[in-house]
Amino acid sequence: MSNTNNMQTVKIVTADPGGLGLFGLAMVTLVAASQKLGWTTGFSFVVPWAIFLGAIAQMIACFNDFKHNNTFGATAFGAYGLFWLSVAACWLIKMGAFGPILAANVDGAQLGVAFVGYLIFSVYMTIGAMETNKVLFIIFFLIDILFLGLAADALGLGHGWHTMAAWAELMIALFGFYGSAAATLNTHFGKPFLPTGKPFGIFK
């Protein structure tokens, strides 16, 4: 009498989280850009969007992209989700939410150094985006410009950087909404309803 060992593979289907992640990015950059451009004032009502859309929505997308074995998407959404959570915390510190001692010891140059770090990250992620689709490449390229402007402004390297960052952030929002719509509707309809552009085909 022989024993037969049968191996069964169970596949758990997880929906593409890209639409949610890009929507979170689009919303927070739209609200933040409105403040940078002077269309709105203050950070009080930017903080909730940074936490819930910029951070939590992108972290949800991050976790689900890990389930998809999508290292690039998970790393991107995770890193930018944590960025917005960190920025929200910095704003709260500056506004005195954690007490006057922390607020009195704020050094904007430290934020500038963090922006440099994220600029480095965004540049190599832009290379990866080139082999995903052109909409995503445009978003990452604009993120590069955003972090360049934010870093230069925070480090006091001259005038005009803040305005450049503001317009780049607004464009990120617009392309983010388009990317979210494409990711959602293309999957929903089962066909390329909104074109995103083919990969450049340079590295792959």
Side-chain angles (χ1 to χ4, degrees), residues 44-131:
S44 297
F45 273 7
V46 184
V47 171
W49 301 98
I51 294 173
F52 292 102
L53 275 297
I56 295 178
Q58 291 199 85
M59 292 308 299
I60 292 171
C62 162
F63 296 146
N64 283 284
D65 259 341
F66 274 126
K67 292 180 181 179
H68 275 223
N69 196 29
N70 182 358
T71 301
F72 181 83
T75 303
F77 283 130
Y80 292 129
L82 292 170
F83 166 81
W84 282 107
L85 197 59
S86 300
V87 167
C90 290
W91 288 337
L92 290 171
I93 290 170
K94 188 176 181 180
M95 291 187 290
F98 299 110
I101 296 177
L102 282 178
N105 286 281
V106 168
D107 183 356
Q110 291 175 340
L111 198 55
V113 172
F115 291 148
V116 170
Y118 262 92
L119 173 60
I120 295 169
F121 170 76
S122 297
V123 167
Y124 66 74
M125 292 300 282
T126 303
I127 297 173
M130 293 178 71
E131 300 305 338

Side-chain angles (χ1 to χ4, degrees), residues 10-11 28 36 43 57 59 80 126 129 183 185 192 194 204:
V10 177
K11 182 178 181 181
V28 67
K36 288 184 180 67
F43 288 106
M59 292 308 299
Y80 292 129
T126 303
L185 297 178
L194 292 174
K204 278 189 176 180

